[in-house]
Amino acid sequence: VTVSQTAGFPEATTSTTVITIRIPPRQRSLEQTAFTVKLRVPLWATSAANSISVNGERLSGVVPGTYFGITRNWADGDQVEVFYPLNLWVAPINDVRPGWQSVMAFMYGPLVLAGLTESDIFVPPGTDFNQNPSKFIHRNSTSGLSFEAVDTSGKKMKMIPLFDVMEE
């Protein structure tokens, strides 16, 4: 059995992953093709639009922070499509020192966003910024990972995934 994966992650906004099952002709009896595929459902994948489907049939029970198992008799060419829409959220930095307890990371799905700025201070607007960062951070592109954040004074800051900072 061969399992191949095609992913548009993290740039794609419409599909996350397609997994195709290939079974050689000599192994296509039902006894040989029954197995479980387990898919990780990340804790950040909290959207009601999360979906896992097999050959276009949507499955239910996708729960963030768990593994989703699909047990079946697989056929050659079966496809599993996985879609977890990326969203903006806040991850608190776990630090017991009082001066650092309000420090947090702004995230896009599993990606840490880095602010490109001359300042080390960014004050988000409002009081619920840690619950809803999409109020002040917006994605600028449907094909690239570029974001813009606006602070309480209206000053704009470009944000990109931390892994791209090395190229800045």
Side-chain angles (χ1 to χ4, degrees), residues 81-159:
E81 186 166 349
V82 180
F83 179 54
Y84 307 139
L86 301 175
N87 57 345
L88 291 162
W89 61 286
V90 176
I93 304 300
N94 294 325
D95 196 320
V96 296
R97 297 173 291 174
W100 294 94
Q101 289 179 357
S102 65
V103 176
M104 60 193 73
F106 296 111
M107 311 286 291
Y108 183 65
L111 306 175
V112 177
L113 296 179
L116 304 180
T117 179
E118 300 294 322
S119 173
D120 63 349
I121 297 173
F122 179 85
V123 180
T127 57
D128 67 341
F129 59 86
N130 58 345
Q131 301 298 315
N132 191 2
S134 61
K135 285 186 176 180
F136 64 94
I137 301 173
H138 303 281
R139 186 170 175 182
N140 291 341
S141 170
T142 57
S143 58
L145 292 171
S146 177
F147 300 81
E148 183 177 79
V150 181
D151 71 10
T152 53
S153 70
K155 185 177 177 184
K156 295 178 180 180
M157 174 177 64
K158 181 178 179 178
M159 298 184 84

